[in-house]
């Protein structure tokens, strides 16, 4: 039974892990640990549904699971963790530091959005999905998905210009 169900699952996860983890990280506002939990939860649900979705669109199914789980987790009031404002020093070149700083600013700005706005922005602009597919994944009308993405981008621009120069 294990072999029949896992047929193709391991290959799918190995091939898409990096992109899926990055998507989960963006959906959680840059929190690496919550992103890991979110992705594990999504992969568990994908594993359960693998025989049904493997031949169709497993990545689209997983996107939908991740977006919904991220929205659910965003409604939680307490995570039991307290983030720190200072990151430990890292060795490397200035260019790498600038890239990390820019990514951190973007993730912090994404964290300011509501879960639905964040999901719409990430799906539309990071995943480069068409508006219709974003609406389908989010389970809402196209106009709502378009509005959520538009308002989310406006809020991102506002948050990023308040802090300093815009993200490239």
């Amino acid at each position: 039974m294990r072999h029949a169900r896992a047929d193709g699952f391991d290959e799918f996860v190995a091939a898409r892990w990096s992109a899926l983890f990055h998507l989960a990280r963006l959906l959680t506002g840059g929190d690496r640990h919550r992103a890991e939990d979110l992705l594990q939860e999504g992969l568990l649900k994908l594993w359960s549904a693998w025989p049904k979705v493997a031949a169709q669109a497993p990545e689209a199914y997983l996107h939908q699971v991740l977006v919904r789980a991220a929205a659910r987790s965003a409604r939680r009031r307490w995570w039991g963790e307290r983030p720190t404002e200072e990151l430990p020093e890292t060795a490397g070149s200035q260019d790498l530091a600038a890239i990390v700083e820019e990514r951190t600013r973007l993730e912090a700005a994404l964290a300011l959005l509501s879960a639905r706005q964040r999901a719409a922005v990430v799906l539309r602009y990071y995943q480069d999905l068409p508006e219709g597919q974003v609406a389908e994944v989010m389970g809402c009308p196209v106009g709502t998905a378009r509005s959520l993405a538009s308002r989310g981008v406006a809020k991102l621009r506002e948050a990023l210009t308040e802090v300093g120069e815009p993200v490239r």
Side-chain angles (χ1 to χ4, degrees):
M1 176 71 177
R2 159 112 170 81
H3 179 65
R5 179 175 284 224
D7 199 23
F9 181 80
D10 293 339
E11 293 81 14
F12 171 79
V13 173
R16 301 297 301 146
W17 176 265
S18 180
L20 292 171
F21 177 70
H22 194 65
L23 171 64
R25 191 166 176 180
L26 291 173
L27 288 172
T28 58
D31 187 327
R32 179 180 183 85
H33 301 291
R34 283 182 49 206
E36 288 171 352
D37 292 343
L38 178 67
L39 186 54
Q40 288 300 321
E41 180 182 344
L43 289 173
L44 181 64
K45 289 184 180 184
L46 178 62
W47 168 256
S48 299
W50 186 254
K52 294 178 230 165
V53 300
Q56 297 167 0
E59 192 156 355
Y61 175 84
L62 187 56
H63 285 178
Q64 192 168 26
V65 168
L66 291 175
V67 166
R68 289 181 179 169
R72 253 191 334 274
S73 72
R75 289 190 292 262
R76 291 185 188 151
R77 291 180 184 237
W78 172 249
W79 283 94
E81 301 173 355
R82 298 226 186 253
T84 61
E85 291 191 27
E86 293 182 31
L87 296 175
E89 290 185 28
T90 58
S93 69
Q94 287 290 29
D95 293 338
L96 182 58
I99 291 169
V100 170
E101 182 180 338
E102 189 171 305
R103 184 183 308 146
T104 303
R105 282 183 52 228
L106 181 59
E107 289 173 347
L110 278 169
L112 297 174
L113 303 179
S114 72
R116 287 176 48 94
Q117 284 178 340
R118 185 170 47 244
V121 168
V122 169
L123 291 172
R124 180 70 179 106
Y125 298 104
Y126 173 72
Q127 291 289 307
D128 200 26
L129 296 179
E131 291 172 338
Q133 203 169 353
V134 171
E136 184 180 323
V137 169
M138 293 184 67
C140 64
V142 175
T144 302
R146 185 180 301 137
S147 175
L148 287 167
S150 174
R151 289 179 183 154
V153 167
K155 199 181 257 189
L156 277 177
R157 283 190 182 126
E158 182 181 317
L160 291 171
T161 55
E162 285 176 3
V163 176
E165 55 189 68
V167 174
R168 292 173 219 125

